[in-house]
Amino acid sequence: MFLGKRKLIEARSVTNGSTSENFVNVFDDALALGFKNVLVEVEGLDESGANIAMRYYNTAGSLVSDTNYSFNYVRVNNTSNASYSQHSGSSYINYNYDFLWKSGNFGQVIFFDPTAAARTYAISQNMLYNATTFSMHHASTAMGGFRFYNAAGGSMSVESGEYAKIKVYGIEDS
């Protein structure tokens, strides 16, 4: 799939101390604009010692906290760009973990057709840790949005500057 034109749906600044960032109806907003896929850019967000986790919101605006999530991540280089191989994952848990990595990095997440009444897939890429995460929600549930939060229950922080940025785009596939 080639990802083409994109349109900004929402841009948000995140300050130190945020416990979660909730994008409740953002997939519905993208679909209303004619985009079935969504791109999220995250810049400067740190987890204060724990990884960012993700859950979905259904189209009714309720958090989907069932045990139908699974994820797997792969790293091919370490932070010194030395040859390195690491993978990990888990199935049938109540969130996607290791979704974006620590240290205020730049990361991207692509959600593929999340409003369809089928499994929802996402791929994230992290530039600092040279990692890719693949995730899936196994139930046939149309999703309306997503939530990023600190998996350890604490707050998220900003790596540098006054705030981090999260931008959500509808993306055209061609």
Side-chain angles (χ1 to χ4, degrees), residues 52-54 56 69-71 94-99 135-136:
I52 290 178
M54 186 200 71
Y56 288 108
Y69 293 89
S70 66
F71 70 91
N94 65 355
Y95 58 84
N96 287 321
Y97 188 63
D98 283 343
F99 208 72
S135 67
M136 182 172 89

Side-chain angles (χ1 to χ4, degrees), residues 100-160:
L100 293 167
W101 294 68
K102 299 180 182 76
S103 302
N105 61 78
F106 177 80
Q108 293 183 317
V109 184
I110 299 174
F111 297 98
F112 295 99
D113 201 10
T115 58
R119 291 183 170 104
T120 298
Y121 298 89
I123 296 175
S124 68
Q125 176 67 40
N126 171 276
M127 307 313 170
L128 178 66
Y129 284 99
N130 304 309
T132 300
T133 300
F134 309 91
S135 67
M136 182 172 89
H137 188 268
H138 294 270
S140 295
T141 304
M143 303 300 178
F146 63 94
R147 174 186 196 200
F148 289 143
Y149 64 101
N150 182 310
S155 62
M156 296 180 284
S157 63
V158 174
E159 180 65 17
S160 61

Side-chain angles (χ1 to χ4, degrees), residues 63-81:
L63 194 60
V64 180
S65 58
D66 59 26
T67 56
N68 285 316
Y69 293 89
S70 66
F71 70 91
N72 194 329
Y73 71 82
V74 177
R75 290 175 63 185
V76 294
N77 289 328
N78 64 16
T79 56
S80 301
N81 282 327

